[in-house]
Amino acid sequence: MKLYAPSTIRDIKDRYDFQLSKSLGQNFITDGGVIDSIVEGAGIGSEDLVIEIGPGIGVLTDAAADAAARVVAVEIDKKLMPVLAETLAGHDNVRVINADILKTDINGIIREEREAGTFTGDVKIMGNLPYYITTPIIMGLLEKGVEAESITIMMQKEVADRVEASPGGKTYGALSVAVQYYCTVSRIAQVPKEVFIPRPKVDSAVLKLSLRDSSPVELTDKAVFFSCVKHGFGQRRKTLLNSLTGVCGLSKQQIGEVLDEAGIDPVRRAETLDMEEFAAIANGVADRCGR
Ligand code: SAM
């Protein structure tokens, strides 16, 4: 019997008297093709460590454990611990941690595993994310400087569109700039809502975020850059002159000077700026911060 088959999920629910939790975003994959595309898209090698976010009943964990040297899966739901012990019993290279991913020290886990000699290759993060915390999970990993090569994750299609967006469109925003600052982004798969139990209201997509080796733009102060991005998109209908006034305590006149120096029309809006332009503004702001 296949682990991802709807009948297996029903059987597990019956035997463990387990109800799927909507509030924990428990929409389980029932399609082997989707599992293969995530594991193949993650590019897992036989020497790699995979950190999985939210294993559920272990369908991705099982496939990753066949491909990787070691898998560490972080699952918040205590009720799934005995289920995972059963479904992953055939693997001796899997460690399940019952914890909230948002409160988990991933770099600490990577260090522990490296010191224990469980892998010698790269670190790949993977998961079918609980959709209610997609953005905090992604930004948490990136802002804390996760020491991984890539993050291959399924999310709501609308969020994937925002992560991947280029300047000029409605979906382009602070999330696009933030993720693209840290990573290059590629789309691995489109996934229809019909392949989940229970069926969510929206379609999904799998993105691979490959961590950059170095910053794509030169910044005087990274915090000021992100503050400019936040201010700009915080009031996205306003002109840059207005939306950026106040950033780092700068007056409208000072923002006018910054935009002038950067050669950016003050009546433009944040959604038209590319990363280089945000960087030019941020560096001009940083020069005047505290003046
Ligand atoms: N990987 C399984 C699959 O694809 O069928 C389950 C994916 S399901 C969309 C999300 C999983 O994340 C659930 O098992 C849920 O319990 C777990 N989860 C929810 N919030 C979490 C959190 N804060 N930390 C860790 N796991 C969490």
Coordinates of all heavy atoms in Angstrom, one line a residue, residues 156-236:
Q156 N 1.1 28.1 -1.3 CA -0.1 28.6 -2.1 C 0.4 29.3 -3.4 O 1.4 30.0 -3.3 CB -0.7 29.6 -1.2 CG -2.2 29.9 -1.4 CD -2.7 30.8 -0.3 OE1 -2.4 30.6 0.9 NE2 -3.3 31.9 -0.7
K157 N -0.3 29.0 -4.5 CA 0.2 29.6 -5.8 C 0.4 31.1 -5.7 O 1.3 31.7 -6.2 CB -0.7 29.2 -6.9 CG -0.3 29.6 -8.2 CD -1.3 29.4 -9.3 CE -1.0 30.3 -10.5 NZ -1.1 31.7 -10.3
E158 N -0.6 31.8 -5.1 CA -0.6 33.2 -5.0 C 0.7 33.7 -4.3 O 1.3 34.8 -4.7 CB -1.8 33.8 -4.2 CG -3.1 33.8 -5.0 CD -3.6 32.4 -5.3 OE1 -3.2 31.5 -4.6 OE2 -4.5 32.3 -6.2
V159 N 1.1 33.0 -3.3 CA 2.4 33.4 -2.6 C 3.6 33.2 -3.4 O 4.5 34.0 -3.5 CB 2.5 32.7 -1.2 CG1 3.8 33.1 -0.5 CG2 1.3 32.9 -0.3
A160 N 3.6 32.0 -4.1 CA 4.7 31.7 -5.1 C 4.8 32.8 -6.1 O 5.9 33.3 -6.5 CB 4.4 30.4 -5.7
D161 N 3.6 33.3 -6.6 CA 3.6 34.4 -7.6 C 4.3 35.6 -7.1 O 5.0 36.3 -7.8 CB 2.2 34.7 -8.1 CG 1.6 33.6 -8.9 OD1 2.3 32.7 -9.3 OD2 0.3 33.6 -9.0
R162 N 4.0 35.9 -5.8 CA 4.6 37.1 -5.2 C 6.1 37.0 -5.0 O 6.8 37.9 -5.2 CB 3.9 37.4 -3.8 CG 2.5 38.0 -4.0 CD 1.7 38.1 -2.8 NE 2.4 38.5 -1.6 CZ 2.2 38.1 -0.4 NH1 1.3 37.2 -0.1 NH2 3.0 38.6 0.6
V163 N 6.5 35.8 -4.5 CA 7.9 35.5 -4.3 C 8.7 35.7 -5.6 O 9.8 36.3 -5.6 CB 8.2 34.1 -3.8 CG1 9.6 33.7 -3.8 CG2 7.6 34.0 -2.3
E164 N 8.1 35.3 -6.7 CA 8.8 35.2 -8.0 C 8.7 36.5 -8.8 O 9.4 36.6 -9.8 CB 8.2 34.1 -8.8 CG 9.1 33.1 -9.3 CD 8.4 32.2 -10.3 OE1 7.2 32.2 -10.4 OE2 9.1 31.4 -11.0
A165 N 7.8 37.4 -8.4 CA 7.4 38.5 -9.2 C 8.6 39.5 -9.6 O 9.5 39.7 -8.8 CB 6.3 39.3 -8.5
S166 N 8.5 40.1 -10.8 CA 9.4 41.1 -11.2 C 8.8 42.5 -11.1 O 7.6 42.6 -11.0 CB 9.8 40.9 -12.7 OG 10.1 39.6 -12.9
P167 N 9.6 43.6 -11.1 CA 9.0 44.9 -11.0 C 8.0 45.2 -12.0 O 8.0 44.7 -13.1 CB 10.2 45.8 -11.2 CG 11.4 45.0 -10.9 CD 11.1 43.6 -11.2
G168 N 7.0 46.0 -11.6 CA 6.0 46.5 -12.6 C 4.6 45.8 -12.4 O 3.6 46.4 -12.7
G169 N 4.6 44.6 -11.8 CA 3.3 44.0 -11.6 C 2.7 44.2 -10.2 O 3.3 44.6 -9.3
K170 N 1.4 43.8 -10.1 CA 0.7 43.9 -8.9 C 1.2 42.9 -7.8 O 1.1 43.2 -6.6 CB -0.8 43.5 -9.1 CG -1.7 44.7 -9.5 CD -3.1 44.4 -9.2 CE -4.0 45.3 -10.0 NZ -5.0 44.7 -10.9
T171 N 1.8 41.8 -8.3 CA 2.2 40.8 -7.3 C 3.6 41.1 -6.7 O 4.0 40.6 -5.7 CB 2.3 39.4 -7.9 OG1 3.0 39.5 -9.2 CG2 0.9 38.8 -8.2
Y172 N 4.3 42.1 -7.4 CA 5.7 42.5 -6.9 C 5.6 43.3 -5.6 O 4.8 44.3 -5.6 CB 6.3 43.3 -8.0 CG 7.7 43.7 -7.8 CD1 8.8 42.8 -7.6 CD2 8.0 45.1 -7.7 CE1 10.1 43.2 -7.4 CE2 9.4 45.5 -7.5 CZ 10.4 44.6 -7.3 OH 11.7 45.0 -7.2
G173 N 6.3 42.9 -4.6 CA 6.2 43.6 -3.4 C 7.4 43.3 -2.5 O 8.4 42.8 -2.9
A174 N 7.3 43.6 -1.2 CA 8.4 43.5 -0.2 C 8.9 42.0 -0.2 O 10.1 41.8 -0.1 CB 8.0 43.9 1.1
L175 N 7.9 41.1 -0.3 CA 8.3 39.6 -0.2 C 9.2 39.3 -1.4 O 10.2 38.5 -1.3 CB 7.1 38.7 -0.2 CG 7.3 37.2 0.0 CD1 8.0 36.9 1.3 CD2 6.0 36.5 -0.1
S176 N 8.9 39.8 -2.6 CA 9.7 39.5 -3.8 C 11.1 40.0 -3.7 O 12.1 39.3 -3.9 CB 9.1 40.2 -5.1 OG 7.7 40.3 -5.0
V177 N 11.2 41.3 -3.2 CA 12.5 41.9 -3.1 C 13.3 41.2 -2.0 O 14.5 40.8 -2.2 CB 12.5 43.4 -2.8 CG1 13.8 44.0 -2.6 CG2 11.7 44.1 -3.8
A178 N 12.7 40.9 -0.9 CA 13.4 40.2 0.2 C 13.9 38.9 -0.2 O 15.1 38.5 0.0 CB 12.5 40.1 1.4
V179 N 13.0 38.0 -0.7 CA 13.5 36.7 -1.1 C 14.5 36.7 -2.2 O 15.6 36.0 -2.1 CB 12.3 35.8 -1.5 CG1 12.8 34.4 -2.0 CG2 11.3 35.6 -0.3
Q180 N 14.3 37.6 -3.2 CA 15.3 37.6 -4.3 C 16.6 38.3 -3.9 O 17.6 38.1 -4.6 CB 14.6 38.4 -5.5 CG 13.5 37.6 -6.1 CD 12.7 38.4 -7.1 OE1 13.2 39.2 -7.9 NE2 11.4 38.1 -7.2
Y181 N 16.6 39.0 -2.8 CA 17.9 39.5 -2.3 C 18.8 38.3 -1.8 O 19.9 38.3 -2.1 CB 17.6 40.5 -1.1 CG 18.9 40.9 -0.4 CD1 19.8 41.9 -1.0 CD2 19.3 40.3 0.8 CE1 21.0 42.2 -0.4 CE2 20.5 40.6 1.4 CZ 21.3 41.6 0.8 OH 22.5 41.9 1.4
Y182 N 18.1 37.4 -1.1 CA 18.8 36.3 -0.6 C 19.0 35.1 -1.5 O 20.0 34.3 -1.4 CB 18.1 35.7 0.7 CG 18.1 36.7 1.9 CD1 17.0 37.4 2.2 CD2 19.3 36.8 2.6 CE1 17.0 38.2 3.4 CE2 19.3 37.6 3.8 CZ 18.2 38.3 4.1 OH 18.2 39.2 5.2
C183 N 18.1 35.0 -2.5 CA 18.1 33.7 -3.3 C 17.8 34.0 -4.8 O 17.2 35.0 -5.1 CB 16.9 32.8 -2.8 SG 16.8 32.5 -1.1
T184 N 18.2 33.0 -5.6 CA 17.6 33.0 -7.0 C 16.4 32.0 -6.8 O 16.4 31.1 -6.1 CB 18.6 32.5 -8.0 OG1 19.0 31.2 -7.6 CG2 19.8 33.4 -8.1
V185 N 15.4 32.3 -7.6 CA 14.1 31.6 -7.5 C 13.7 30.9 -8.8 O 13.8 31.5 -9.8 CB 12.9 32.6 -7.1 CG1 11.6 31.9 -6.9 CG2 13.3 33.4 -5.9
S186 N 13.4 29.6 -8.7 CA 12.9 28.9 -9.9 C 11.6 28.1 -9.5 O 11.5 27.6 -8.4 CB 13.9 28.0 -10.5 OG 14.4 27.1 -9.5
R187 N 10.7 28.0 -10.5 CA 9.5 27.3 -10.2 C 9.7 25.8 -10.7 O 10.0 25.6 -11.8 CB 8.3 28.0 -11.0 CG 7.0 27.4 -10.5 CD 5.8 28.3 -11.1 NE 5.8 29.6 -10.5 CZ 4.7 30.2 -10.0 NH1 3.5 29.5 -10.1 NH2 4.7 31.4 -9.5
I188 N 9.4 24.9 -9.7 CA 9.6 23.5 -10.0 C 8.3 22.9 -10.5 O 8.3 22.0 -11.4 CB 10.0 22.8 -8.7 CG1 11.3 23.4 -8.1 CG2 10.1 21.3 -8.8 CD1 12.5 23.2 -8.9
A189 N 7.2 23.3 -9.9 CA 5.9 22.6 -10.3 C 4.7 23.5 -10.0 O 4.8 24.3 -9.0 CB 5.8 21.3 -9.6
Q190 N 3.6 23.2 -10.7 CA 2.3 23.8 -10.4 C 1.5 22.6 -9.9 O 1.6 21.5 -10.4 CB 1.6 24.3 -11.7 CG 2.4 25.3 -12.4 CD 2.1 26.7 -11.9 OE1 2.7 27.1 -10.9 NE2 1.1 27.4 -12.5
V191 N 0.8 22.8 -8.8 CA 0.1 21.7 -8.2 C -1.4 22.0 -7.9 O -1.7 22.9 -7.2 CB 0.8 21.3 -6.8 CG1 0.1 20.1 -6.2 CG2 2.3 21.0 -7.0
P192 N -2.3 21.3 -8.6 CA -3.7 21.6 -8.4 C -4.2 21.2 -7.1 O -3.7 20.2 -6.4 CB -4.4 20.8 -9.5 CG -3.4 19.7 -9.8 CD -2.0 20.1 -9.5
K193 N -5.2 21.9 -6.6 CA -5.8 21.6 -5.2 C -6.3 20.2 -5.1 O -6.4 19.7 -4.0 CB -6.8 22.6 -4.8 CG -7.9 22.9 -5.8 CD -8.8 24.0 -5.3 CE -9.8 24.5 -6.3 NZ -9.2 25.3 -7.4
E194 N -6.7 19.5 -6.2 CA -7.3 18.2 -6.2 C -6.4 17.1 -5.6 O -6.8 16.0 -5.2 CB -7.7 17.8 -7.6 CG -8.9 18.5 -8.1 CD -8.6 19.9 -8.6 OE1 -7.4 20.3 -8.8 OE2 -9.6 20.7 -8.6
V195 N -5.1 17.4 -5.5 CA -4.2 16.3 -5.1 C -3.9 16.3 -3.6 O -3.1 15.5 -3.1 CB -2.8 16.3 -5.8 CG1 -3.0 16.3 -7.3 CG2 -1.9 17.5 -5.4
F196 N -4.7 17.1 -2.8 CA -4.5 17.1 -1.4 C -5.7 16.5 -0.6 O -6.9 16.6 -1.1 CB -4.3 18.5 -0.9 CG -3.1 19.2 -1.4 CD1 -3.2 20.0 -2.6 CD2 -1.9 19.1 -0.8 CE1 -2.1 20.6 -3.1 CE2 -0.8 19.7 -1.3 CZ -0.9 20.5 -2.5
I197 N -5.5 16.0 0.5 CA -6.6 15.6 1.5 C -6.3 16.4 2.8 O -5.2 16.3 3.3 CB -6.6 14.1 1.8 CG1 -7.2 13.3 0.7 CG2 -7.3 13.8 3.1 CD1 -7.4 11.8 1.0
P198 N -7.3 17.2 3.3 CA -8.4 17.6 2.6 C -8.1 18.6 1.5 O -6.9 19.2 1.5 CB -9.3 18.3 3.7 CG -8.3 18.8 4.7 CD -7.1 17.8 4.6
R199 N -9.0 18.9 0.6 CA -8.7 19.7 -0.6 C -8.7 21.2 -0.1 O -9.7 21.7 0.4 CB -9.8 19.5 -1.6 CG -9.5 20.2 -2.9 CD -10.6 19.9 -4.0 NE -10.6 18.5 -4.3 CZ -11.4 18.0 -5.3 NH1 -12.2 18.7 -5.9 NH2 -11.3 16.7 -5.6
P200 N -7.6 21.9 -0.3 CA -7.6 23.4 0.0 C -8.4 24.2 -1.0 O -8.8 23.6 -2.0 CB -6.2 23.8 0.0 CG -5.5 22.8 -0.9 CD -6.3 21.5 -0.9
K201 N -8.7 25.4 -0.7 CA -9.5 26.3 -1.6 C -8.6 26.7 -2.8 O -9.2 27.2 -3.8 CB -10.0 27.5 -0.9 CG -11.1 27.2 0.1 CD -11.9 28.4 0.5 CE -13.0 28.1 1.4 NZ -12.5 27.8 2.8
V202 N -7.3 26.7 -2.7 CA -6.4 27.3 -3.7 C -5.4 26.3 -4.3 O -5.1 25.3 -3.6 CB -5.7 28.5 -3.1 CG1 -6.6 29.6 -2.8 CG2 -4.9 28.0 -1.8
D203 N -4.9 26.6 -5.5 CA -3.9 25.8 -6.1 C -2.5 26.1 -5.4 O -2.4 27.1 -4.7 CB -3.8 26.0 -7.6 CG -5.0 25.5 -8.3 OD1 -5.6 24.5 -7.8 OD2 -5.4 26.0 -9.4
S204 N -1.5 25.3 -5.7 CA -0.2 25.4 -5.0 C 0.9 25.5 -6.1 O 0.6 25.1 -7.3 CB 0.0 24.3 -4.1 OG -0.9 24.3 -3.0
A205 N 2.1 25.8 -5.7 CA 3.2 25.7 -6.6 C 4.4 25.4 -5.7 O 4.5 25.7 -4.5 CB 3.4 27.1 -7.3
V206 N 5.4 24.8 -6.4 CA 6.7 24.4 -5.7 C 7.8 25.4 -6.2 O 7.9 25.5 -7.4 CB 7.1 23.0 -6.0 CG1 8.4 22.6 -5.2 CG2 6.0 22.0 -5.6
L207 N 8.4 26.1 -5.3 CA 9.5 26.9 -5.7 C 10.8 26.4 -5.1 O 10.8 25.8 -4.0 CB 9.4 28.3 -5.2 CG 8.2 29.2 -5.7 CD1 8.3 30.6 -5.1 CD2 8.2 29.3 -7.2
K208 N 11.9 26.6 -5.9 CA 13.2 26.3 -5.3 C 13.9 27.6 -5.1 O 14.1 28.4 -6.1 CB 14.0 25.4 -6.3 CG 15.4 25.1 -5.8 CD 16.1 24.0 -6.6 CE 17.4 23.6 -6.0 NZ 18.0 22.5 -6.7
L209 N 14.3 27.9 -3.9 CA 15.0 29.1 -3.5 C 16.5 28.7 -3.3 O 16.8 27.9 -2.4 CB 14.5 29.7 -2.3 CG 13.0 29.8 -2.1 CD1 12.6 30.5 -0.8 CD2 12.4 30.7 -3.3
S210 N 17.4 29.1 -4.2 CA 18.8 28.7 -4.1 C 19.5 29.9 -3.4 O 19.6 31.0 -4.0 CB 19.4 28.4 -5.5 OG 18.7 27.4 -6.1
L211 N 20.1 29.6 -2.3 CA 20.8 30.7 -1.5 C 22.0 31.3 -2.3 O 22.8 30.5 -2.8 CB 21.3 30.2 -0.2 CG 20.3 30.1 1.0 CD1 19.9 31.4 1.5 CD2 19.1 29.2 0.7
R212 N 22.0 32.6 -2.4 CA 23.2 33.2 -3.1 C 24.4 33.1 -2.3 O 24.4 33.2 -1.0 CB 22.9 34.7 -3.4 CG 21.7 35.0 -4.3 CD 21.5 36.5 -4.4 NE 20.3 36.9 -5.1 CZ 20.2 37.0 -6.4 NH1 21.2 36.7 -7.2 NH2 19.0 37.3 -7.0
D213 N 25.6 33.1 -3.0 CA 26.9 33.1 -2.3 C 27.2 34.5 -1.8 O 27.9 34.7 -0.8 CB 28.0 32.6 -3.2 CG 27.8 31.1 -3.5 OD1 27.3 30.4 -2.7 OD2 28.2 30.7 -4.6
S214 N 26.7 35.5 -2.5 CA 27.0 36.9 -2.1 C 25.8 37.8 -2.5 O 25.0 37.4 -3.3 CB 28.3 37.4 -2.8 OG 28.1 37.3 -4.2
S215 N 25.8 38.9 -1.9 CA 24.7 39.9 -2.1 C 24.6 40.3 -3.5 O 25.7 40.6 -4.1 CB 25.0 41.1 -1.2 OG 24.1 42.1 -1.5
P216 N 23.4 40.4 -4.1 CA 23.3 40.8 -5.5 C 23.5 42.3 -5.7 O 23.7 42.7 -6.9 CB 21.9 40.4 -5.9 CG 21.1 40.4 -4.6 CD 22.1 40.1 -3.5
V217 N 23.5 43.1 -4.6 CA 23.7 44.5 -4.7 C 24.6 44.9 -3.6 O 24.7 44.3 -2.6 CB 22.4 45.3 -4.6 CG1 21.6 45.3 -5.9 CG2 21.5 44.8 -3.5
E218 N 25.4 46.0 -3.8 CA 26.3 46.5 -2.8 C 25.5 47.4 -1.8 O 24.9 48.4 -2.3 CB 27.4 47.3 -3.4 CG 28.5 46.3 -3.7 CD 29.8 47.0 -4.0 OE1 30.1 48.1 -3.4 OE2 30.6 46.5 -4.8
L219 N 25.5 47.1 -0.6 CA 24.7 47.9 0.4 C 25.6 48.5 1.5 O 26.5 47.8 2.0 CB 23.6 47.0 1.1 CG 22.6 46.4 0.1 CD1 21.6 45.5 1.0 CD2 21.8 47.5 -0.6
T220 N 25.4 49.7 1.8 CA 26.1 50.4 2.9 C 25.5 49.8 4.2 O 26.3 49.5 5.2 CB 25.8 51.9 3.0 OG1 26.0 52.4 1.7 CG2 26.7 52.6 4.0
D221 N 24.2 49.5 4.3 CA 23.6 49.1 5.5 C 22.3 48.2 5.1 O 21.4 48.8 4.6 CB 23.2 50.3 6.3 CG 22.6 49.9 7.7 OD1 21.9 48.9 7.8 OD2 22.8 50.7 8.7
K222 N 22.4 46.9 5.4 CA 21.3 46.0 5.0 C 20.0 46.4 5.6 O 18.9 46.3 5.0 CB 21.7 44.6 5.3 CG 20.9 43.5 4.7 CD 21.6 42.2 4.8 CE 20.8 41.3 5.7 NZ 21.4 40.0 6.0
A223 N 20.1 46.8 6.9 CA 18.8 47.1 7.6 C 18.1 48.3 7.0 O 16.9 48.3 6.9 CB 19.1 47.4 9.1
V224 N 18.9 49.3 6.5 CA 18.3 50.5 5.9 C 17.7 50.1 4.6 O 16.6 50.5 4.2 CB 19.4 51.6 5.7 CG1 18.9 52.7 4.8 CG2 19.9 52.1 7.0
F225 N 18.3 49.2 3.8 CA 17.8 48.7 2.6 C 16.4 48.1 2.8 O 15.4 48.4 2.2 CB 18.7 47.6 2.0 CG 18.2 46.9 0.8 CD1 18.2 47.4 -0.5 CD2 17.7 45.6 0.9 CE1 17.7 46.7 -1.6 CE2 17.2 44.8 -0.2 CZ 17.2 45.5 -1.4
F226 N 16.3 47.1 3.8 CA 15.0 46.5 4.1 C 14.0 47.5 4.7 O 12.8 47.4 4.4 CB 15.2 45.3 5.0 CG 15.7 44.1 4.3 CD1 17.0 43.7 4.3 CD2 14.8 43.4 3.4 CE1 17.4 42.6 3.6 CE2 15.3 42.4 2.6 CZ 16.6 41.9 2.7
S227 N 14.5 48.5 5.4 CA 13.5 49.5 5.9 C 13.0 50.3 4.7 O 11.8 50.7 4.7 CB 14.3 50.4 6.8 OG 13.5 51.3 7.4
C228 N 13.8 50.6 3.7 CA 13.3 51.4 2.5 C 12.3 50.5 1.7 O 11.2 51.0 1.3 CB 14.5 51.7 1.6 SG 15.6 53.0 2.2
V229 N 12.6 49.2 1.6 CA 11.6 48.3 0.9 C 10.3 48.3 1.7 O 9.2 48.4 1.1 CB 12.2 46.9 0.8 CG1 11.2 45.9 0.3 CG2 13.5 46.9 -0.1
K230 N 10.4 48.2 3.0 CA 9.2 48.1 3.8 C 8.4 49.4 3.7 O 7.1 49.4 3.5 CB 9.6 47.9 5.3 CG 8.5 47.4 6.2 CD 9.0 47.0 7.5 CE 7.9 47.1 8.5 NZ 8.4 47.3 9.9
H231 N 9.0 50.5 3.8 CA 8.4 51.8 3.7 C 7.7 52.0 2.3 O 6.6 52.4 2.2 CB 9.3 53.0 4.0 CG 9.4 53.5 5.3 ND1 10.0 52.8 6.4 CD2 8.8 54.6 5.9 CE1 9.9 53.5 7.5 NE2 9.1 54.6 7.2
G232 N 8.5 51.7 1.3 CA 8.0 51.9 -0.1 C 6.8 51.1 -0.3 O 5.8 51.6 -0.9
F233 N 6.8 49.8 0.1 CA 5.6 49.0 -0.2 C 4.5 49.1 0.8 O 3.4 48.7 0.6 CB 6.0 47.5 -0.4 CG 6.7 47.2 -1.7 CD1 8.1 46.9 -1.7 CD2 6.1 47.3 -2.9 CE1 8.8 46.7 -2.9 CE2 6.7 47.0 -4.1 CZ 8.1 46.7 -4.1
G234 N 4.9 49.7 2.0 CA 3.9 49.8 3.0 C 2.8 50.7 2.6 O 1.6 50.6 3.0
Q235 N 3.1 51.7 1.7 CA 2.1 52.6 1.2 C 2.3 52.6 -0.3 O 2.7 53.6 -0.9 CB 2.3 54.0 1.8 CG 2.1 54.0 3.3 CD 2.7 55.3 3.9 OE1 3.8 55.7 3.7 NE2 1.8 56.0 4.6
R236 N 2.0 51.5 -1.0 CA 2.4 51.3 -2.4 C 1.7 52.2 -3.4 O 2.2 52.4 -4.5 CB 2.4 49.8 -2.8 CG 1.0 49.2 -2.7 CD 1.2 47.7 -2.9 NE 1.6 47.3 -4.3 CZ 2.4 46.3 -4.6 NH1 2.8 45.5 -3.7 NH2 2.7 46.1 -5.8

